[in-house]
Amino acid sequence: MLFVPFILAAASALLGVVPGGPPACRLHAPTAAMAGPGCAGQWMDHNLRINDLMTVGTHNSYKQAIPSADYRIIAAHDPVQAEKLDYAHKSLVAQLDAGAREIEVDVVYDPEGGRYASPLIARLTHAKLDPAWVTAMRRPGFKVLHVPDVDFRSSCITFERCLGIVKSWSLAHPRHVPITILINAKQGQGAPGGSPLLPFDAKAFDALDREVRAVLPPAMLITPDDVQGHYQTLRDAVLHDNWPRLGDARGKIMFALDEGPSVVAVYRGSRRSLEGRVMFVNSPSETSPAAAYLTLNDASGETGRINRDVRAGFWIRTRADSDTLEARRNDIAHRDLALGTGAQAVSTDYLWADPRFPGHYTARLPGRAASVCNPVRARAKCGGLAVETVSDADWRAAEAAPLVSPAPRGEARP
């Protein structure tokens, strides 16, 4: 009967059971909580797709506070707009340490360098600019600015530098859920009296894609081609649940162009979907062959559409707050609504409270979670367990990181 132990040993090996060792993880259990002791992470890696997750991210993640002298000029010209601009973030590293897995970067095209090196408002206030800042701004390449000539102070002033920061953080945290970087391609007239912004044509977008690929190797990226796979269009792939499994996507980064239809059309060109491109695009409709991601910022007015799109398989970004309004009023109703819509990324300007405002409004996931199961697609699957939790060391570092909040403004409404 020697063959009986042999058969048992072979069966144990196939099942991943070590004789006398702990039982194998039950990866086909209905929920992560039922997968076995210490098995929740493996279960999630095997059973969750990246559109089954939710995170709180940040809006204009690079933005720093507007100095008082600048603010007075802006408020004298347009007090309402001044209030909308009156917020600031900690560094990108601090945001990632605190659990943000979606960030937003605004880029301007500057192929020859120097176009934005002498901001109008700095000239008006006779501000002394950091020589290192001026040197960096004079070099060719994409710059990161909120409102050129007006609200220009950024924690990472070049796109290459922002990418490098995220890359270094990612490599030090290889088990993080995917980080999404939303891109706004700034163009148009710019501020009155300032430098007109260069348009983003196909050449500019080709250069933007190249800059991403120059910093981030293919193994760190999730691209539209990765999702489309063998399907005829990206939309077909999304509707057939072809987003990567979590286990294949940890430690990776994906990009999303958050722009309107005309700009998206330039980026897409004559492609059927987004073949060869780095970024997903804010699709003008769910019927587009390139549809995979949509920005639907009005969580209260578009709740039903967000719910339907998430259930269908699309990746959605919405906002918990905007224009400083919710923070000034400590209005958590819109935030809580946004968190319940199912949008995979809920953006905020307030991972940390602004000490000027009563109520200390913030938007975060509970329990130091960086990512949780999506409340529409996968609420029951995780059994209440977080998909990713911020480590104690990262949490302490994030909380200790400086936040230079905007100064008290006499013009600001309560």
Side-chain angles (χ1 to χ4, degrees):
M1 303 294 289
L2 293 176
F3 63 90
V4 174
F6 173 80
I7 292 174
L8 291 175
S12 296
L14 287 172
L15 293 172
V17 177
V18 178
C25 294
R26 296 185 290 275
L27 298 183
H28 298 289
T31 71
M34 299 173 66
C39 293
Q42 291 184 51
W43 187 96
M44 293 175 186
D45 284 354
H46 181 77
N47 290 282
L48 298 180
R49 303 274 177 171
I50 63 173
N51 62 327
D52 289 326
L53 312 182
M54 184 180 74
T55 189
V56 169
T58 53
H59 163 252
N60 293 338
S61 311
Y62 56 87
K63 187 178 172 337
Q64 296 185 313
I66 299 173
S68 295
D70 297 21
Y71 187 86
R72 285 192 291 270
I73 292 174
I74 299 168
H77 176 72
D78 188 339
V80 174
Q81 184 64 23
E83 288 191 1
K84 292 179 179 180
L85 298 175
D86 202 23
Y87 61 94
H89 290 291
K90 291 189 179 187
S91 68
L92 294 185
V93 169
Q95 294 170 50
L96 293 167
D97 279 346
R101 297 295 178 264
E102 175 261 322
I103 61 174
E104 181 182 333
V105 176
D106 293 350
V107 294
V108 293
Y109 188 38
D110 189 17
E112 297 183 2
R115 188 173 190 85
Y116 309 102
S118 180
L120 173 64
I121 202 162
R123 300 198 302 271
L124 294 175
T125 60
H126 306 289
K128 183 174 176 57
L129 299 173
D130 184 346
W133 185 92
V134 176
T135 298
M137 293 296 287
R138 286 177 176 166
R139 296 191 186 108
F142 295 94
K143 308 304 189 300
V144 176
L145 303 168
H146 187 217
V147 183
D149 283 302
V150 178
D151 184 12
F152 66 89
R153 288 171 171 84
S154 305
S155 61
C156 51
I157 59 177
T158 68
F159 186 47
E160 182 181 29
R161 175 60 179 153
C162 295
L163 293 175
I165 290 170
V166 177
K167 178 183 180 181
S168 295
W169 188 93
S170 176
L171 291 173
H173 300 77
R175 287 284 297 166
H176 69 76
V177 302
I179 297 167
T180 302
I181 301 180
L182 261 63
I183 300 294
N184 288 156
K186 297 273 185 168
Q187 53 191 319
Q189 288 301 312
S195 299
L197 279 63
L198 294 178
F200 271 82
D201 54 14
K203 181 180 178 181
F205 278 129
D206 288 346
L208 191 64
D209 274 5
R210 284 196 303 271
E211 190 146 313
V212 172
R213 293 190 188 277
V215 176
L216 298 171
M220 292 186 72
L221 290 172
I222 299 171
T223 67
D225 285 341
D226 294 329
V227 176
Q228 184 169 336
H230 66 276
Y231 289 93
Q232 289 195 349
T233 69
L234 181 58
R235 178 179 183 269
D236 289 341
V238 166
L239 296 181
H240 285 86
D241 205 25
N242 206 48
W243 290 98
R245 293 184 188 274
L246 175 58
D248 296 325
R250 286 191 185 272
K252 295 188 178 184
I253 300 163
M254 71 180 195
F255 290 79
L257 180 61
D258 183 15
E259 287 293 346
S262 61
V263 178
V264 164
V266 174
Y267 183 73
R268 188 177 166 196
S270 60
R271 296 166 180 83
R272 184 170 189 178
S273 294
L274 288 165
E275 292 80 5
R277 282 301 198 189
V278 167
M279 296 187 283
F280 297 86
V281 296
N282 179 23
S283 181
S285 79
E286 291 85 345
T287 61
S288 167
Y293 133 73
L294 297 90
T295 284
L296 301 174
N297 283 331
D298 184 5
S300 58
E302 296 181 293
T303 301
R305 184 181 179 188
I306 295 173
N307 285 174
R308 289 191 299 272
D309 285 355
V310 169
R311 291 183 193 279
F314 296 107
W315 193 96
I316 307 297
R317 182 265 194 150
T318 195
R319 293 184 65 175
D321 44 74
S322 61
D323 299 333
T324 76
L325 293 175
E326 288 80 5
R328 293 177 188 278
R329 303 168 181 166
N330 192 29
D331 178 6
I332 63 172
H334 184 81
R335 176 199 71 188
D336 293 348
L337 175 65
L339 290 171
T341 59
Q344 286 85 355
V346 179
S347 294
T348 183
D349 292 324
Y350 298 96
L351 276 186
W352 289 274
D354 188 322
R356 300 174 301 167
F357 303 148
H360 304 292
Y361 171 91
T362 60
R364 289 193 181 188
L365 295 175
R368 300 188 183 181
S371 179
V372 296
C373 263
N374 189 283
V376 169
R377 285 186 60 85
R379 179 189 297 274
K381 291 184 177 182
C382 289
L385 301 174
V387 178
E388 183 188 351
T389 302
V390 174
S391 71
D392 290 343
D394 280 355
W395 185 266
R396 288 193 298 268
E399 293 302 299
L403 171 62
V404 181
S405 297
R409 318 289 194 191
E411 302 87 347
R413 291 181 282 105

